[in-house]
Amino acid sequence: MPQETQAHTVEFKRLTPHPESGAYSLDAVAELFELPFNDLVFRAQTVHRQYFDANKVQLSTLLSVKTGGCSEDCGYCSQSARHDTGLEKAALMNADEVIDAARIAKENGASRFCMGAAWRGPKTKDLAEVKKMIAGVKALGMETCATFGMLKEGQAEELRDSGLDYYNHNLDTSPENYANIVTSHSYQDRLDTLGKVRKAGLSVCSGGIVGLGETRRDRIGLIAQLANLEPQPDSVPINNLVKIEGTPLEEGEAIDWTEFVRMIAVARITMPKSFVRLSAGRQQMPEAMQALCFMAGANSIFYGDKLLTTGNPDVSRDRRLFAKLDIQPL
Ligand code: SAM
Ligand code: DTB
Ligand code: SF4
């Protein structure tokens, strides 16, 4: 092989899951993070093209259907009743208002509508309204997603029967780091809910946040947890911490942009058939960084000018970015 060609050949062989179990060890994930940046992004883009059209990105719109006053103490969250973030609480919205918002999201081009509630988990008294909103959004012809916290036995089936397609429940960080961020529920609680969601036959959306003050080893641990879920999550949101005044994490140092792109690339390589969503934090991200995330295999975004309680690039800005990158919505 001529010298020049050799120089461009990337050695991929060792960086694979365990040949028999298919599981990703922490060391195998760490090796991916340690690849030279260009080799990692190239590999991620190569894997991406095996399963997806590299010029298509899926659009999900979020709506907070019940805001603030949450009993949980997640250190990053504007909606925890334990932090003084100045957020105005709001009761559960009625189904008609939610369906109207979904209709607008659909007109703007979103294919999935994700309803979020600041709950430890849904209460029985709230389920009737929630099921009505899910059914109404589904009837618009959109994919439906909900993120309502921990589920009790039978609730996933109830949500499924009302028309729910996806349930979002993030592992957020490594098992070792979880108690530094949240103490009011455990990592095992999160895994148990994911098990119930899967058992009910719902599609699983699960990812995490970076920029919490975690180490790279924690990021590796999060990826290994997600990649070793059986089956792997259908969607994997990767959030860059949006710093919220009044939360314990308001003053931490953001991770370097290269580390964020690495996180996306490693998620793509280890979960080749999953949608990897470039999630919270896009408003603070330069366009070139977002473009690199797409190059590294991100193929989904939150679309619309609001996430749950914080801002997101508005629709016209995202349309301009997509036009520059020749990306089409899926
Ligand atoms: N209460 C439910 C729960 O905790 O699963 C659903 C809503 S919760 C806001 C959904 C996810 O949003 C969290 O798991 C976290 O990954 C993400 N998130 C929340 N606040 C964030 C922030 N300030 N920056 C980035 N991501 C955030
Ligand atoms: C996910 O992983 N990120 C979304 C969604 N799933 C529910 C939420 C992001 C929240 C960002 C902070 C806020 O707007 O409150
Ligand atoms: Fe509550 Fe979810 Fe926020 Fe945690 S992340 S405080 S559970 S809304």
PDB file of all heavy atoms in Angstrom, residues 157-178:
ATOM      1  N   GLU A 157     -48.321   0.999  30.371  1.00  0.00           N
ATOM      2  CA  GLU A 157     -49.334   0.379  29.506  1.00  0.00           C
ATOM      3  C   GLU A 157     -50.497   1.347  29.272  1.00  0.00           C
ATOM      4  O   GLU A 157     -51.013   1.469  28.158  1.00  0.00           O
ATOM      5  CB  GLU A 157     -49.872  -0.919  30.131  1.00  0.00           C
ATOM      6  CG  GLU A 157     -48.905  -2.101  30.085  1.00  0.00           C
ATOM      7  CD  GLU A 157     -47.784  -2.051  31.129  1.00  0.00           C
ATOM      8  OE1 GLU A 157     -47.775  -1.119  31.967  1.00  0.00           O
ATOM      9  OE2 GLU A 157     -46.920  -2.939  31.107  1.00  0.00           O
ATOM     10  N   GLU A 158     -50.882   2.067  30.342  1.00  0.00           N
ATOM     11  CA  GLU A 158     -51.980   3.036  30.181  1.00  0.00           C
ATOM     12  C   GLU A 158     -51.607   4.125  29.186  1.00  0.00           C
ATOM     13  O   GLU A 158     -52.411   4.529  28.337  1.00  0.00           O
ATOM     14  CB  GLU A 158     -52.286   3.710  31.538  1.00  0.00           C
ATOM     15  CG  GLU A 158     -53.279   2.942  32.370  1.00  0.00           C
ATOM     16  CD  GLU A 158     -53.836   3.835  33.488  1.00  0.00           C
ATOM     17  OE1 GLU A 158     -54.618   4.770  33.201  1.00  0.00           O
ATOM     18  OE2 GLU A 158     -53.457   3.588  34.651  1.00  0.00           O
ATOM     19  N   LEU A 159     -50.379   4.607  29.311  1.00  0.00           N
ATOM     20  CA  LEU A 159     -49.922   5.656  28.389  1.00  0.00           C
ATOM     21  C   LEU A 159     -49.861   5.112  26.960  1.00  0.00           C
ATOM     22  O   LEU A 159     -50.295   5.764  26.014  1.00  0.00           O
ATOM     23  CB  LEU A 159     -48.556   6.196  28.825  1.00  0.00           C
ATOM     24  CG  LEU A 159     -48.531   6.917  30.183  1.00  0.00           C
ATOM     25  CD1 LEU A 159     -47.101   7.264  30.604  1.00  0.00           C
ATOM     26  CD2 LEU A 159     -49.371   8.201  30.142  1.00  0.00           C
ATOM     27  N   ARG A 160     -49.323   3.911  26.826  1.00  0.00           N
ATOM     28  CA  ARG A 160     -49.246   3.270  25.494  1.00  0.00           C
ATOM     29  C   ARG A 160     -50.643   3.175  24.883  1.00  0.00           C
ATOM     30  O   ARG A 160     -50.852   3.525  23.717  1.00  0.00           O
ATOM     31  CB  ARG A 160     -48.644   1.873  25.656  1.00  0.00           C
ATOM     32  CG  ARG A 160     -48.605   1.059  24.371  1.00  0.00           C
ATOM     33  CD  ARG A 160     -48.478  -0.425  24.660  1.00  0.00           C
ATOM     34  NE  ARG A 160     -49.660  -0.948  25.345  1.00  0.00           N
ATOM     35  CZ  ARG A 160     -49.699  -2.068  26.071  1.00  0.00           C
ATOM     36  NH1 ARG A 160     -48.607  -2.800  26.220  1.00  0.00           N
ATOM     37  NH2 ARG A 160     -50.822  -2.467  26.649  1.00  0.00           N
ATOM     38  N   ASP A 161     -51.603   2.739  25.677  1.00  0.00           N
ATOM     39  CA  ASP A 161     -52.950   2.527  25.128  1.00  0.00           C
ATOM     40  C   ASP A 161     -53.632   3.835  24.733  1.00  0.00           C
ATOM     41  O   ASP A 161     -54.573   3.834  23.942  1.00  0.00           O
ATOM     42  CB  ASP A 161     -53.814   1.740  26.134  1.00  0.00           C
ATOM     43  CG  ASP A 161     -53.305   0.309  26.280  1.00  0.00           C
ATOM     44  OD1 ASP A 161     -52.509  -0.132  25.415  1.00  0.00           O
ATOM     45  OD2 ASP A 161     -53.672  -0.362  27.273  1.00  0.00           O
ATOM     46  N   SER A 162     -53.155   4.948  25.289  1.00  0.00           N
ATOM     47  CA  SER A 162     -53.754   6.229  24.879  1.00  0.00           C
ATOM     48  C   SER A 162     -53.094   6.766  23.602  1.00  0.00           C
ATOM     49  O   SER A 162     -53.525   7.776  23.057  1.00  0.00           O
ATOM     50  CB  SER A 162     -53.629   7.248  26.014  1.00  0.00           C
ATOM     51  OG  SER A 162     -52.285   7.634  26.169  1.00  0.00           O
ATOM     52  N   GLY A 163     -52.032   6.102  23.130  1.00  0.00           N
ATOM     53  CA  GLY A 163     -51.407   6.530  21.862  1.00  0.00           C
ATOM     54  C   GLY A 163     -49.961   6.985  22.006  1.00  0.00           C
ATOM     55  O   GLY A 163     -49.418   7.599  21.085  1.00  0.00           O
ATOM     56  N   LEU A 164     -49.332   6.667  23.147  1.00  0.00           N
ATOM     57  CA  LEU A 164     -47.941   7.107  23.319  1.00  0.00           C
ATOM     58  C   LEU A 164     -46.985   6.204  22.533  1.00  0.00           C
ATOM     59  O   LEU A 164     -47.096   4.984  22.574  1.00  0.00           O
ATOM     60  CB  LEU A 164     -47.560   7.089  24.813  1.00  0.00           C
ATOM     61  CG  LEU A 164     -46.235   7.811  25.108  1.00  0.00           C
ATOM     62  CD1 LEU A 164     -46.360   9.313  24.848  1.00  0.00           C
ATOM     63  CD2 LEU A 164     -45.778   7.569  26.555  1.00  0.00           C
ATOM     64  N   ASP A 165     -46.037   6.860  21.825  1.00  0.00           N
ATOM     65  CA  ASP A 165     -45.020   6.110  21.075  1.00  0.00           C
ATOM     66  C   ASP A 165     -43.713   5.986  21.862  1.00  0.00           C
ATOM     67  O   ASP A 165     -43.116   4.926  21.911  1.00  0.00           O
ATOM     68  CB  ASP A 165     -44.717   6.823  19.746  1.00  0.00           C
ATOM     69  CG  ASP A 165     -45.939   6.894  18.845  1.00  0.00           C
ATOM     70  OD1 ASP A 165     -46.568   5.844  18.627  1.00  0.00           O
ATOM     71  OD2 ASP A 165     -46.280   7.998  18.379  1.00  0.00           O
ATOM     72  N   TYR A 166     -43.243   7.101  22.431  1.00  0.00           N
ATOM     73  CA  TYR A 166     -41.930   7.142  23.095  1.00  0.00           C
ATOM     74  C   TYR A 166     -42.086   7.612  24.536  1.00  0.00           C
ATOM     75  O   TYR A 166     -42.933   8.458  24.832  1.00  0.00           O
ATOM     76  CB  TYR A 166     -41.007   8.167  22.420  1.00  0.00           C
ATOM     77  CG  TYR A 166     -40.479   7.737  21.075  1.00  0.00           C
ATOM     78  CD1 TYR A 166     -41.282   7.844  19.947  1.00  0.00           C
ATOM     79  CD2 TYR A 166     -39.192   7.235  20.940  1.00  0.00           C
ATOM     80  CE1 TYR A 166     -40.808   7.448  18.701  1.00  0.00           C
ATOM     81  CE2 TYR A 166     -38.710   6.841  19.700  1.00  0.00           C
ATOM     82  CZ  TYR A 166     -39.512   6.950  18.587  1.00  0.00           C
ATOM     83  OH  TYR A 166     -39.046   6.558  17.364  1.00  0.00           O
ATOM     84  N   TYR A 167     -41.236   7.085  25.402  1.00  0.00           N
ATOM     85  CA  TYR A 167     -41.141   7.641  26.754  1.00  0.00           C
ATOM     86  C   TYR A 167     -39.693   8.062  26.971  1.00  0.00           C
ATOM     87  O   TYR A 167     -38.771   7.281  26.742  1.00  0.00           O
ATOM     88  CB  TYR A 167     -41.556   6.617  27.822  1.00  0.00           C
ATOM     89  CG  TYR A 167     -41.846   7.293  29.142  1.00  0.00           C
ATOM     90  CD1 TYR A 167     -43.059   7.939  29.375  1.00  0.00           C
ATOM     91  CD2 TYR A 167     -40.877   7.325  30.153  1.00  0.00           C
ATOM     92  CE1 TYR A 167     -43.316   8.596  30.569  1.00  0.00           C
ATOM     93  CE2 TYR A 167     -41.137   7.977  31.356  1.00  0.00           C
ATOM     94  CZ  TYR A 167     -42.359   8.605  31.552  1.00  0.00           C
ATOM     95  OH  TYR A 167     -42.612   9.263  32.736  1.00  0.00           O
ATOM     96  N   ASN A 168     -39.504   9.333  27.387  1.00  0.00           N
ATOM     97  CA  ASN A 168     -38.148   9.833  27.671  1.00  0.00           C
ATOM     98  C   ASN A 168     -37.863   9.743  29.164  1.00  0.00           C
ATOM     99  O   ASN A 168     -38.639  10.212  29.998  1.00  0.00           O
ATOM    100  CB  ASN A 168     -38.011  11.291  27.206  1.00  0.00           C
ATOM    101  CG  ASN A 168     -36.787  11.964  27.832  1.00  0.00           C
ATOM    102  OD1 ASN A 168     -36.918  12.833  28.701  1.00  0.00           O
ATOM    103  ND2 ASN A 168     -35.602  11.554  27.437  1.00  0.00           N
ATOM    104  N   HIS A 169     -36.746   9.145  29.473  1.00  0.00           N
ATOM    105  CA  HIS A 169     -36.311   9.045  30.864  1.00  0.00           C
ATOM    106  C   HIS A 169     -34.790   8.914  30.811  1.00  0.00           C
ATOM    107  O   HIS A 169     -34.270   7.868  30.413  1.00  0.00           O
ATOM    108  CB  HIS A 169     -36.965   7.808  31.505  1.00  0.00           C
ATOM    109  CG  HIS A 169     -37.024   7.839  32.988  1.00  0.00           C
ATOM    110  ND1 HIS A 169     -37.749   8.780  33.697  1.00  0.00           N
ATOM    111  CD2 HIS A 169     -36.439   7.042  33.922  1.00  0.00           C
ATOM    112  CE1 HIS A 169     -37.628   8.536  34.992  1.00  0.00           C
ATOM    113  NE2 HIS A 169     -36.836   7.498  35.155  1.00  0.00           N
ATOM    114  N   ASN A 170     -34.096   9.965  31.172  1.00  0.00           N
ATOM    115  CA  ASN A 170     -32.642   9.977  30.975  1.00  0.00           C
ATOM    116  C   ASN A 170     -31.904   9.346  32.147  1.00  0.00           C
ATOM    117  O   ASN A 170     -32.302   9.507  33.303  1.00  0.00           O
ATOM    118  CB  ASN A 170     -32.155  11.422  30.803  1.00  0.00           C
ATOM    119  CG  ASN A 170     -32.633  12.030  29.494  1.00  0.00           C
ATOM    120  OD1 ASN A 170     -32.987  11.305  28.565  1.00  0.00           O
ATOM    121  ND2 ASN A 170     -32.639  13.352  29.413  1.00  0.00           N
ATOM    122  N   LEU A 171     -30.786   8.691  31.829  1.00  0.00           N
ATOM    123  CA  LEU A 171     -29.899   8.213  32.909  1.00  0.00           C
ATOM    124  C   LEU A 171     -29.010   9.355  33.392  1.00  0.00           C
ATOM    125  O   LEU A 171     -28.449   9.298  34.481  1.00  0.00           O
ATOM    126  CB  LEU A 171     -29.068   7.020  32.433  1.00  0.00           C
ATOM    127  CG  LEU A 171     -29.880   5.741  32.194  1.00  0.00           C
ATOM    128  CD1 LEU A 171     -28.982   4.626  31.658  1.00  0.00           C
ATOM    129  CD2 LEU A 171     -30.579   5.284  33.471  1.00  0.00           C
ATOM    130  N   ASP A 172     -28.863  10.354  32.536  1.00  0.00           N
ATOM    131  CA  ASP A 172     -28.221  11.641  32.861  1.00  0.00           C
ATOM    132  C   ASP A 172     -26.714  11.609  33.083  1.00  0.00           C
ATOM    133  O   ASP A 172     -26.017  12.452  32.578  1.00  0.00           O
ATOM    134  CB  ASP A 172     -28.940  12.347  34.026  1.00  0.00           C
ATOM    135  CG  ASP A 172     -30.191  13.056  33.530  1.00  0.00           C
ATOM    136  OD1 ASP A 172     -30.175  13.498  32.366  1.00  0.00           O
ATOM    137  OD2 ASP A 172     -31.191  13.130  34.253  1.00  0.00           O
ATOM    138  N   THR A 173     -26.194  10.686  33.911  1.00  0.00           N
ATOM    139  CA  THR A 173     -24.741  10.649  34.115  1.00  0.00           C
ATOM    140  C   THR A 173     -24.353   9.219  34.482  1.00  0.00           C
ATOM    141  O   THR A 173     -25.164   8.300  34.335  1.00  0.00           O
ATOM    142  CB  THR A 173     -24.328  11.708  35.171  1.00  0.00           C
ATOM    143  OG1 THR A 173     -22.900  11.801  35.233  1.00  0.00           O
ATOM    144  CG2 THR A 173     -24.879  11.401  36.559  1.00  0.00           C
ATOM    145  N   SER A 174     -23.121   9.019  34.940  1.00  0.00           N
ATOM    146  CA  SER A 174     -22.705   7.649  35.297  1.00  0.00           C
ATOM    147  C   SER A 174     -23.381   7.234  36.600  1.00  0.00           C
ATOM    148  O   SER A 174     -23.777   8.086  37.409  1.00  0.00           O
ATOM    149  CB  SER A 174     -21.188   7.610  35.493  1.00  0.00           C
ATOM    150  OG  SER A 174     -20.855   8.354  36.659  1.00  0.00           O
ATOM    151  N   PRO A 175     -23.460   5.936  36.864  1.00  0.00           N
ATOM    152  CA  PRO A 175     -24.036   5.485  38.145  1.00  0.00           C
ATOM    153  C   PRO A 175     -23.260   6.071  39.325  1.00  0.00           C
ATOM    154  O   PRO A 175     -23.870   6.458  40.333  1.00  0.00           O
ATOM    155  CB  PRO A 175     -23.878   3.960  38.108  1.00  0.00           C
ATOM    156  CG  PRO A 175     -23.551   3.592  36.708  1.00  0.00           C
ATOM    157  CD  PRO A 175     -23.080   4.805  35.987  1.00  0.00           C
ATOM    158  N   GLU A 176     -21.935   6.167  39.175  1.00  0.00           N
ATOM    159  CA  GLU A 176     -21.095   6.656  40.286  1.00  0.00           C
ATOM    160  C   GLU A 176     -21.337   8.124  40.585  1.00  0.00           C
ATOM    161  O   GLU A 176     -21.200   8.572  41.717  1.00  0.00           O
ATOM    162  CB  GLU A 176     -19.598   6.467  39.951  1.00  0.00           C
ATOM    163  CG  GLU A 176     -19.157   5.026  39.786  1.00  0.00           C
ATOM    164  CD  GLU A 176     -19.592   4.395  38.450  1.00  0.00           C
ATOM    165  OE1 GLU A 176     -19.896   5.131  37.494  1.00  0.00           O
ATOM    166  OE2 GLU A 176     -19.645   3.147  38.393  1.00  0.00           O
ATOM    167  N   ASN A 177     -21.679   8.901  39.556  1.00  0.00           N
ATOM    168  CA  ASN A 177     -21.835  10.354  39.749  1.00  0.00           C
ATOM    169  C   ASN A 177     -23.265  10.738  40.122  1.00  0.00           C
ATOM    170  O   ASN A 177     -23.513  11.879  40.528  1.00  0.00           O
ATOM    171  CB  ASN A 177     -21.427  11.073  38.449  1.00  0.00           C
ATOM    172  CG  ASN A 177     -21.269  12.577  38.632  1.00  0.00           C
ATOM    173  OD1 ASN A 177     -20.775  13.030  39.678  1.00  0.00           O
ATOM    174  ND2 ASN A 177     -21.668  13.351  37.645  1.00  0.00           N
ATOM    175  N   TYR A 178     -24.201   9.792  39.985  1.00  0.00           N
ATOM    176  CA  TYR A 178     -25.610  10.170  40.089  1.00  0.00           C
ATOM    177  C   TYR A 178     -25.950  10.841  41.420  1.00  0.00           C
ATOM    178  O   TYR A 178     -26.594  11.895  41.446  1.00  0.00           O
ATOM    179  CB  TYR A 178     -26.516   8.946  39.854  1.00  0.00           C
ATOM    180  CG  TYR A 178     -27.918   9.358  39.451  1.00  0.00           C
ATOM    181  CD1 TYR A 178     -28.163   9.918  38.197  1.00  0.00           C
ATOM    182  CD2 TYR A 178     -28.990   9.228  40.322  1.00  0.00           C
ATOM    183  CE1 TYR A 178     -29.437  10.326  37.822  1.00  0.00           C
ATOM    184  CE2 TYR A 178     -30.271   9.630  39.952  1.00  0.00           C
ATOM    185  CZ  TYR A 178     -30.486  10.177  38.699  1.00  0.00           C
ATOM    186  OH  TYR A 178     -31.742  10.593  38.328  1.00  0.00           O
TER     187      TYR A 178
END
